[in-house]
Amino acid sequence: MNGRLLVINPNSSIKVTQGIDRAVAPLRSAAGPVIDVVRLEDGPVGIETQEDVERVVPLILQRVRETNDAAAYVIACFSDPGLHAAREVAGRPVFGIAECGVLTALMLGARFGLISILQTVIARHRRFLGTMGVNDRFAGDRAIGVKVTELADENVTFARMAAVGAALRDEDGADVVVMACAGMADYRARLADTLGIPVVEPTQAAAAMAMGRIALGW
Amino acid sequence: MNGRLLVINPNSSIKVTQGIDRAVAPLRSAAGPVIDVVRLEDGPVGIETQEDVERVVPLILQRVRETNDAAAYVIACFSDPGLHAAREVAGRPVFGIAECGVLTALMLGARFGLISILQTVIARHRRFLGTMGVNDRFAGDRAIGVKVTELADENVTFARMAAVGAALRDEDGADVVVMACAGMADYRARLADTLGIPVVEPTQAAAAMAMGRIALGW
Amino acid sequence: MNGRLLVINPNSSIKVTQGIDRAVAPLRSAAGPVIDVVRLEDGPVGIETQEDVERVVPLILQRVRETNDAAAYVIACFSDPGLHAAREVAGRPVFGIAECGVLTALMLGARFGLISILQTVIARHRRFLGTMGVNDRFAGDRAIGVKVTELADENVTFARMAAVGAALRDEDGADVVVMACAGMADYRARLADTLGIPVVEPTQAAAAMAMGRIALGW
Amino acid sequence: MNGRLLVINPNSSIKVTQGIDRAVAPLRSAAGPVIDVVRLEDGPVGIETQEDVERVVPLILQRVRETNDAAAYVIACFSDPGLHAAREVAGRPVFGIAECGVLTALMLGARFGLISILQTVIARHRRFLGTMGVNDRFAGDRAIGVKVTELADENVTFARMAAVGAALRDEDGADVVVMACAGMADYRARLADTLGIPVVEPTQAAAAMAMGRIALGW
Amino acid sequence: MNGRLLVINPNSSIKVTQGIDRAVAPLRSAAGPVIDVVRLEDGPVGIETQEDVERVVPLILQRVRETNDAAAYVIACFSDPGLHAAREVAGRPVFGIAECGVLTALMLGARFGLISILQTVIARHRRFLGTMGVNDRFAGDRAIGVKVTELADENVTFARMAAVGAALRDEDGADVVVMACAGMADYRARLADTLGIPVVEPTQAAAAMAMGRIALGW
Amino acid sequence: MNGRLLVINPNSSIKVTQGIDRAVAPLRSAAGPVIDVVRLEDGPVGIETQEDVERVVPLILQRVRETNDAAAYVIACFSDPGLHAAREVAGRPVFGIAECGVLTALMLGARFGLISILQTVIARHRRFLGTMGVNDRFAGDRAIGVKVTELADENVTFARMAAVGAALRDEDGADVVVMACAGMADYRARLADTLGIPVVEPTQAAAAMAMGRIALGW
């Protein structure tokens, strides 16, 4: 097994990029492909609006074009910016963390919920779930209501995630939840313990799928 | 009634822009809003790939921002590039011709078909129909297989549209079809006559809806 | 632009008919088609039961047949009584306010809610949404619980609409709502301000679409 | 077990009424409820257009009101005219043959097809299937293309039904078909033998369900 | 009318089997088929886990094979264990109470709710509803939270059913509910009275459908 | 990384088991978990009927219980026999090849087709796709019509797969296909080359996902 997996964080945050790097660490092995996690230096600090999503797409496509030695790519933003264009450009497997996170959740429960950061992204998520065609398995989408740039207080962030996850479980009927944001893998196990249902960390889900596909060579 | 409707052709083709201008002409009146049809000078000649779609989005958003005196906007490309970001940016109604074309078709038949230009856009259309949540009303999507830049031969183009429309009607069960491309309004009436079922020209559909919303003021 | 749009209020209420007339006033212009709003003198005072719906259909069809100089028709009752039969009979465009109201909402948000008058109509609305095939975009349907004939107290009516709209927004996740009744356009702007999300008045939505189609001539 | 089942043929055809009477004969027993099959003397000879459907509804409702000693009702026309209004009016179980035919088919195969009489009814059937919410189980709807009043030539009719049924099975993937018309029960067994898949006769399906509900008393 | 209907209770509980026997009693008549209700002596006391479901399937298939004189079979467990295999093996109609209960509910309301016994079965029900393709008509599924083996206290059980049914009606929008368990027919009428909406007892629904199909002979 | 992945072939065929073993070989590495492929000695030679599916479930559950040192399990039969019961019993991740194959296809195209072995399994696949809730992404399911036990002639088998795959692509609109059978990985690359669209081998898809989840430890 060889090759290289490029994980692209489309925002410019070093802290988020480090969080993603820690998230994918368990997938690294001496025998396996290298996993490189990079950020877009010219990307925004956080991707919140639909315009933010659109503006990072050309940067992602440029990065994919420049990195023509990668065996596969992960776009590590839950809006999956430029996913289909990147597939067209790359000619090799490209994984979006929203798509992979949701597909992984479909194996872990009958109905999944999304723990989002901001209320304003929920309409975007609905469009994306419609594109995936998985609305029959969807339980709900609730926002913790903390700005991406203000997620630093870990106690507040975790408490909000736990509260929102419990509402998805108890009021919306979710039996699995997806963290609808990159870079928060450190909370995953603790959140699963607290909620008592599986929690999907989407960057891990995507990177794991990418590693499998690199190994298979298709 | 006053105000101004800006119809943006996201490609740079003067010929297509003129075709769109003719399409919306019946909606102009002395008493009504001005309808301006513009092209993106820096846009591609035709929008074919997903990357083409993504690359025109920043140009569209820029044009929307610059034209802050418009009462509404129409994005005249059947991929509806940047539709949701433009709505966010504009703060006024923005209409996509794919969305409006399909919604109009829903009033004209039980199941709609799409007459597309190229086979490669069909997967993109499927994603968009999923986003709209109207798959239960969808009959089929067939391509005429002529490149956007080679649509000049009107006899060939019309014959292909008629053949594809007949297949949508007879094999896929469509009782209304949508022309999945801007700038081809000149064929609409003749195609409807030939097929014997309603044919939606999406730029007209979108511009008509936009004029109505301008008149209502919401 | 010429021609005539006939808006048929299938009940006999003069007050509701006047409300509809005010609703479509912004769409009138010197250059455009005449818009005539008529009531069915033999219709019920209000349409509440399914039997009410069925009983007005022959009256509507008769009126459509008698008015053979109209370029298009709007049936101004949220049950869209006789919509498909009227299309068959008229041979010209016929618009139902429920269909048009919902289609307009699909452009204004990811998920729409319905503000209904009576609890008993909700099952009928569900059947109609199934027919339209738009359940994936549906958030909820809540009744204000005021009889059609008792809607005169505007403060009570508005307060109930605002409460129900807020529940659709906050509990059901609607980001756009449709007023599921004709003749209440006077509340629209105020309701939108109160709720902070778009509010669709369906008679306006239908009449605007009808005017556009008359202008296009298809 | 006692009581009475009223089967209403909404057209005026004596021949069709007799066919329906033969269809329900196997459900009669000395111990069970009486089954009366009646026609609407003022109904049309055959129900083809949507206007035909609408025009028989008041007649059906009148008949239901007049027959207040029935324990249950079957409306024996595949358009289920006035089904929901009749339920409202009757206060006792009312069965539509389209609804019952399709529900029965759901137990007999993974995907059902409809054998319709005329091409023009297919859009109406699609609306009805949307209302039922069973599109995921729907394979196709094909018309034999014989007018209701010209169904007398049994060899022609059967040959067309067999051909259409085979197309539903082989091209559309149906593994069960529903005869989308009342009064043709005489063909059912032969058609099932010819096609090698189950064939649902909808009046029998509805009457059987009605007899069961009468027995249960709910 | 003759023949025999075999109703198989896949658990070993004599009490539940007696409850099922009482449930189907109204369907028995001197002229009609015999209805035999049997239990699986080697089945579990109650079917709760998915493993319980799987383990009774071979027993059911064996019983079907052994009882080759039955005209039809009902599998009286709301998980419909082995339904499709039993159909394959029997070569005669086999009815599952979950399938029949839901299909019957589709005739009684716009959206149905399920009153389940245990929270843990809800994911299984969701898979089954997906298989049936009726999610668009589904309102909710709520558990009374009483173990199958602890249902003996009738006051507690009924109070929980009424509370859960009211929540389905008021919070989830159900206008008909299905008792998602066999052997509880004694509560049906009282529950319907309390809730004011139709209540489907699924074993009765299935047995009634089975009797009809036996009478029809197809 | 350590641990062990147990891949269970639920039939007794040594040849199929060897094919599965070759399929997962690219996923083995010195550093990674051991992958053991086992057959059920008491399973049938091939799983064709629904009864075959049901009969292997207790054997699979027994094997899962006996192998309590595995970190994850793959059930390598495209009917996913006992998948949900095995998850309940194992308390560790269990992967079904049908579920994983379809989920993987969702990342590779807009609409997927299934290449099945026998016509008789198609109804079962439809039920399973309904359970997954992915019908909106489904293009078609076609059988090569070769019995599992007669698949030995590789030229015949491949030619049939290529023909069926081409029909899925050209007639049903699939842009990705899934091989709906275990043990045929040797054909995958050649079939993808021939068809010009991605081909998913489901055992590889499942084993790759399993290895990723083992590495992540959740």
Side-chain angles (χ1 to χ4, degrees):
Chain A
M1 211 187 288
N2 49 51
R4 178 187 179 205
L5 172 63
L6 185 71
V7 179
I8 302 171
N9 170 21
N11 69 39
S12 60
S13 161
I14 291 173
K15 185 176 163 62
V16 169
T17 309
Q18 289 170 336
I20 294 171
D21 197 83
R22 283 195 304 279
V24 300
L27 296 165
R28 289 183 172 116
S29 81
V34 171
I35 305 179
D36 287 334
V37 181
V38 300
R39 64 187 175 109
L40 294 185
E41 295 82 357
D42 298 334
V45 175
I47 293 177
E48 300 190 350
T49 66
Q50 184 67 36
E51 189 178 12
D52 291 338
V53 175
E54 307 289 355
R55 289 205 178 282
V56 300
V57 175
L59 302 175
I60 291 170
L61 298 183
Q62 181 183 348
R63 181 60 68 107
V64 167
R65 276 220 167 81
E66 288 169 2
T67 319
N68 54 17
D69 64 334
Y73 306 82
V74 168
I75 301 174
C77 164
F78 203 79
S79 299
D80 284 355
L83 177 61
H84 296 285
R87 283 175 176 160
E88 200 177 76
V89 162
R92 271 155 291 171
V94 182
F95 297 82
I97 66 167
E99 188 174 73
C100 292
V102 169
L103 294 178
T104 297
L106 295 183
M107 291 183 277
L108 290 166
R111 296 214 300 153
F112 65 94
L114 300 184
I115 301 178
S116 293
I117 305 301
L118 294 177
Q119 183 69 23
T120 52
V121 303
I122 289 179
R124 181 156 79 238
H125 291 169
R126 295 295 303 207
R127 294 194 294 269
F128 149 78
L129 295 175
T131 296
M132 287 193 71
V134 294
N135 277 315
D136 274 359
R137 304 285 298 278
F138 173 68
D141 189 345
R142 292 174 181 257
I144 61 172
V146 180
K147 281 180 163 282
V148 171
T149 48
E150 295 171 0
L151 293 166
D153 185 331
E154 298 191 358
N155 287 337
V156 168
T157 298
F158 182 79
R160 287 295 302 143
M161 292 186 115
V164 157
L168 289 166
R169 181 194 61 200
D170 298 336
E171 296 178 40
D172 300 334
D175 52 8
V176 54
V177 293
V178 181
M179 303 165 85
C181 188
M184 307 187 79
D186 295 342
Y187 299 102
R188 198 203 65 81
R190 188 175 158 208
L191 190 59
D193 283 347
T194 300
L195 296 176
I197 56 176
V199 175
V200 174
E201 201 289 315
T203 307
Q204 292 186 321
M209 286 178 168
M211 293 294 274
R213 287 279 297 287
I214 292 174
L216 292 171
W218 51 271
Chain B
M1 212 189 289
N2 49 50
R4 177 186 179 206
L5 173 63
L6 185 71
V7 180
I8 302 171
N9 170 20
N11 68 39
S12 60
S13 163
I14 291 173
K15 186 176 161 63
V16 169
T17 310
Q18 289 169 337
I20 293 171
D21 197 84
R22 283 194 304 280
V24 301
L27 296 165
R28 289 183 172 116
S29 81
V34 172
I35 306 180
D36 287 334
V37 181
V38 299
R39 65 187 174 107
L40 293 185
E41 295 82 356
D42 298 333
V45 174
I47 293 176
E48 300 191 349
T49 65
Q50 184 68 37
E51 190 179 12
D52 291 339
V53 175
E54 307 290 355
R55 288 205 180 282
V56 299
V57 174
L59 302 175
I60 291 169
L61 298 183
Q62 182 184 349
R63 181 60 68 107
V64 168
R65 278 222 166 79
E66 288 169 3
T67 320
N68 54 18
D69 64 334
Y73 305 82
V74 168
I75 301 174
C77 164
F78 203 78
S79 299
D80 285 355
L83 177 61
H84 296 286
R87 285 175 174 159
E88 198 178 79
V89 163
R92 272 154 292 171
V94 182
F95 297 83
I97 67 167
E99 187 174 71
C100 292
V102 168
L103 294 178
T104 297
L106 295 183
M107 289 184 278
L108 290 165
R111 295 214 298 154
F112 65 93
L114 299 184
I115 301 178
S116 292
I117 306 302
L118 295 177
Q119 184 68 24
T120 50
V121 303
I122 289 178
R124 181 156 78 236
H125 291 168
R126 296 294 304 207
R127 295 195 293 269
F128 149 77
L129 295 174
T131 297
M132 287 192 70
V134 295
N135 277 315
D136 274 359
R137 304 285 298 279
F138 173 68
D141 190 345
R142 290 173 182 257
I144 61 172
V146 180
K147 279 182 164 282
V148 171
T149 50
E150 295 169 1
L151 292 168
D153 186 331
E154 297 191 358
N155 287 337
V156 168
T157 298
F158 182 78
R160 288 293 304 143
M161 292 186 115
V164 156
L168 288 166
R169 181 194 62 200
D170 298 337
E171 296 176 42
D172 300 334
D175 52 8
V176 56
V177 293
V178 181
M179 303 165 83
C181 188
M184 307 188 80
D186 296 342
Y187 298 102
R188 199 204 64 81
R190 190 176 156 207
L191 190 59
D193 283 347
T194 300
L195 295 176
I197 56 175
V199 175
V200 174
E201 202 288 317
T203 307
Q204 292 186 320
M209 286 177 167
M211 293 294 275
R213 287 279 299 287
I214 291 175
L216 292 172
W218 50 272
Chain C
M1 210 188 289
N2 48 51
R4 178 187 178 205
L5 172 63
L6 185 71
V7 179
I8 302 170
N9 170 21
N11 69 38
S12 60
S13 162
I14 291 174
K15 186 177 162 64
V16 169
T17 310
Q18 289 170 337
I20 293 171
D21 197 84
R22 283 195 304 278
V24 300
L27 296 165
R28 290 184 171 116
S29 81
V34 171
I35 305 179
D36 286 335
V37 181
V38 300
R39 65 188 175 105
L40 293 184
E41 294 81 357
D42 298 334
V45 175
I47 292 177
E48 300 191 349
T49 66
Q50 184 68 35
E51 189 178 13
D52 291 338
V53 175
E54 307 290 355
R55 289 205 178 280
V56 299
V57 174
L59 302 175
I60 291 170
L61 298 183
Q62 181 183 347
R63 181 60 68 107
V64 167
R65 276 221 167 79
E66 288 169 1
T67 320
N68 54 18
D69 64 333
Y73 306 82
V74 168
I75 301 173
C77 164
F78 204 80
S79 299
D80 284 356
L83 177 62
H84 296 285
R87 284 175 175 160
E88 200 178 74
V89 162
R92 271 154 293 170
V94 182
F95 297 83
I97 67 167
E99 188 174 72
C100 292
V102 169
L103 294 178
T104 297
L106 295 182
M107 291 183 278
L108 290 166
R111 296 215 299 154
F112 65 93
L114 300 184
I115 301 178
S116 293
I117 306 301
L118 293 177
Q119 183 70 23
T120 52
V121 302
I122 289 178
R124 181 156 78 237
H125 291 169
R126 295 295 303 206
R127 295 195 293 268
F128 147 78
L129 295 174
T131 296
M132 287 192 71
V134 295
N135 277 316
D136 274 358
R137 304 285 298 278
F138 173 67
D141 189 346
R142 290 174 182 256
I144 61 171
V146 179
K147 279 180 165 281
V148 171
T149 49
E150 296 171 0
L151 293 167
D153 185 331
E154 298 191 358
N155 287 337
V156 168
T157 298
F158 182 78
R160 287 294 303 142
M161 292 186 114
V164 158
L168 289 165
R169 181 194 62 200
D170 298 336
E171 295 177 43
D172 300 334
D175 51 9
V176 54
V177 293
V178 181
M179 301 165 85
C181 188
M184 307 187 80
D186 296 342
Y187 299 101
R188 199 204 64 81
R190 189 175 156 209
L191 190 59
D193 283 348
T194 300
L195 296 176
I197 57 176
V199 175
V200 174
E201 201 289 316
T203 307
Q204 292 186 320
M209 286 178 168
M211 293 295 274
R213 287 279 298 287
I214 292 175
L216 291 172
W218 52 270
Chain D
M1 212 188 288
N2 50 51
R4 178 188 180 205
L5 172 62
L6 184 71
V7 179
I8 302 171
N9 170 21
N11 68 39
S12 60
S13 163
I14 291 174
K15 188 176 160 63
V16 169
T17 310
Q18 289 170 336
I20 293 171
D21 197 84
R22 283 195 303 279
V24 301
L27 296 165
R28 289 183 171 118
S29 82
V34 172
I35 306 180
D36 287 334
V37 181
V38 299
R39 65 188 175 106
L40 293 185
E41 295 81 357
D42 299 333
V45 175
I47 292 176
E48 300 190 349
T49 65
Q50 183 68 36
E51 189 179 12
D52 290 339
V53 175
E54 307 290 355
R55 288 203 180 283
V56 299
V57 174
L59 302 175
I60 290 170
L61 299 183
Q62 182 183 348
R63 181 61 68 108
V64 168
R65 277 221 167 78
E66 288 168 3
T67 319
N68 54 20
D69 64 334
Y73 306 82
V74 168
I75 300 174
C77 164
F78 204 79
S79 298
D80 284 356
L83 177 60
H84 296 286
R87 285 174 175 160
E88 199 177 78
V89 163
R92 271 153 294 171
V94 182
F95 297 82
I97 67 167
E99 188 174 73
C100 292
V102 168
L103 294 178
T104 297
L106 296 183
M107 289 184 278
L108 290 166
R111 295 214 300 155
F112 65 94
L114 301 184
I115 301 180
S116 293
I117 306 300
L118 295 176
Q119 183 70 23
T120 51
V121 303
I122 289 179
R124 182 156 77 237
H125 291 168
R126 294 295 303 208
R127 294 194 293 268
F128 149 77
L129 295 174
T131 296
M132 287 192 69
V134 294
N135 278 314
D136 274 358
R137 303 285 298 278
F138 173 66
D141 189 344
R142 291 173 181 257
I144 61 172
V146 180
K147 279 181 164 282
V148 170
T149 49
E150 295 171 0
L151 292 167
D153 185 333
E154 297 191 358
N155 286 338
V156 168
T157 299
F158 182 79
R160 287 294 305 142
M161 292 186 114
V164 157
L168 288 166
R169 182 195 62 200
D170 298 336
E171 296 176 42
D172 299 335
D175 52 8
V176 55
V177 292
V178 181
M179 302 166 85
C181 188
M184 307 188 81
D186 295 342
Y187 299 102
R188 198 204 65 80
R190 189 175 158 209
L191 190 58
D193 283 347
T194 300
L195 295 176
I197 56 176
V199 175
V200 173
E201 202 288 318
T203 307
Q204 292 186 320
M209 286 177 167
M211 293 294 274
R213 288 278 298 286
I214 292 174
L216 292 172
W218 51 270
Chain E
M1 211 188 288
N2 49 52
R4 177 187 179 207
L5 172 63
L6 185 71
V7 179
I8 302 171
N9 170 21
N11 68 40
S12 60
S13 162
I14 291 174
K15 186 177 163 61
V16 169
T17 309
Q18 289 170 335
I20 293 171
D21 197 83
R22 283 196 304 279
V24 300
L27 296 165
R28 289 184 172 115
S29 81
V34 171
I35 306 179
D36 286 335
V37 181
V38 299
R39 64 188 176 107
L40 294 185
E41 294 82 357
D42 299 334
V45 174
I47 293 177
E48 300 191 349
T49 65
Q50 183 67 36
E51 189 179 12
D52 291 338
V53 175
E54 307 289 356
R55 288 204 179 282
V56 299
V57 175
L59 302 175
I60 290 170
L61 298 183
Q62 181 184 347
R63 182 59 69 107
V64 167
R65 276 221 168 79
E66 288 169 1
T67 318
N68 54 18
D69 64 334
Y73 306 82
V74 168
I75 301 173
C77 164
F78 204 78
S79 299
D80 285 354
L83 177 61
H84 296 286
R87 285 175 175 160
E88 200 178 76
V89 162
R92 271 153 295 170
V94 182
F95 297 83
I97 67 167
E99 188 174 72
C100 292
V102 168
L103 294 178
T104 297
L106 296 183
M107 291 184 277
L108 290 166
R111 297 214 298 154
F112 65 94
L114 300 185
I115 301 178
S116 293
I117 305 302
L118 295 177
Q119 183 69 23
T120 51
V121 303
I122 289 179
R124 180 157 79 237
H125 290 169
R126 295 295 304 207
R127 295 195 294 268
F128 148 77
L129 294 174
T131 296
M132 287 193 70
V134 295
N135 278 315
D136 274 358
R137 304 285 298 278
F138 172 68
D141 189 344
R142 291 173 181 257
I144 62 171
V146 180
K147 279 181 163 283
V148 171
T149 48
E150 295 171 1
L151 293 167
D153 185 331
E154 298 191 357
N155 287 337
V156 168
T157 298
F158 181 79
R160 287 295 302 143
M161 293 186 114
V164 157
L168 288 165
R169 181 194 62 200
D170 298 336
E171 296 177 42
D172 300 335
D175 51 8
V176 55
V177 294
V178 181
M179 302 166 84
C181 187
M184 307 187 81
D186 295 342
Y187 299 102
R188 199 204 65 81
R190 189 175 158 209
L191 190 58
D193 283 347
T194 301
L195 296 176
I197 56 176
V199 175
V200 174
E201 200 289 316
T203 308
Q204 292 186 320
M209 286 177 168
M211 293 294 274
R213 287 279 298 287
I214 292 174
L216 292 172
W218 51 270
Chain F
M1 211 187 289
N2 49 51
R4 177 189 180 203
L5 172 62
L6 184 71
V7 179
I8 303 171
N9 170 21
N11 68 39
S12 60
S13 162
I14 292 173
K15 187 177 161 62
V16 168
T17 310
Q18 290 170 336
I20 293 170
D21 197 83
R22 284 195 303 279
V24 302
L27 296 165
R28 290 183 171 115
S29 81
V34 171
I35 305 180
D36 287 334
V37 181
V38 299
R39 65 187 175 106
L40 293 185
E41 294 82 358
D42 299 333
V45 175
I47 292 176
E48 300 191 349
T49 65
Q50 183 68 35
E51 189 178 13
D52 290 339
V53 175
E54 307 289 355
R55 288 205 179 282
V56 300
V57 174
L59 302 174
I60 290 170
L61 299 183
Q62 182 182 349
R63 180 61 67 107
V64 167
R65 277 221 167 79
E66 288 169 3
T67 319
N68 54 19
D69 64 334
Y73 306 83
V74 168
I75 301 174
C77 164
F78 203 79
S79 299
D80 284 355
L83 177 60
H84 296 286
R87 285 174 175 161
E88 199 177 77
V89 163
R92 270 153 294 171
V94 181
F95 298 83
I97 67 167
E99 187 174 73
C100 291
V102 169
L103 294 178
T104 298
L106 295 183
M107 289 184 277
L108 290 166
R111 296 214 299 153
F112 66 93
L114 300 185
I115 301 179
S116 293
I117 305 301
L118 295 176
Q119 183 70 23
T120 51
V121 302
I122 289 179
R124 181 157 77 237
H125 291 168
R126 295 295 301 208
R127 295 195 293 269
F128 148 77
L129 295 175
T131 297
M132 286 193 70
V134 294
N135 277 315
D136 274 359
R137 303 286 298 279
F138 173 67
D141 189 345
R142 291 173 182 258
I144 62 172
V146 180
K147 279 181 165 283
V148 170
T149 50
E150 295 170 2
L151 292 167
D153 185 331
E154 298 192 357
N155 287 337
V156 168
T157 298
F158 182 79
R160 287 294 304 143
M161 292 186 115
V164 157
L168 289 166
R169 181 195 61 200
D170 299 336
E171 296 177 41
D172 300 335
D175 52 7
V176 55
V177 293
V178 181
M179 303 165 84
C181 188
M184 308 188 80
D186 296 341
Y187 299 102
R188 200 204 63 82
R190 189 175 156 208
L191 189 59
D193 283 347
T194 300
L195 296 176
I197 56 175
V199 175
V200 173
E201 202 288 317
T203 308
Q204 293 187 319
M209 286 178 168
M211 293 294 274
R213 287 279 297 288
I214 293 175
L216 291 172
W218 51 271

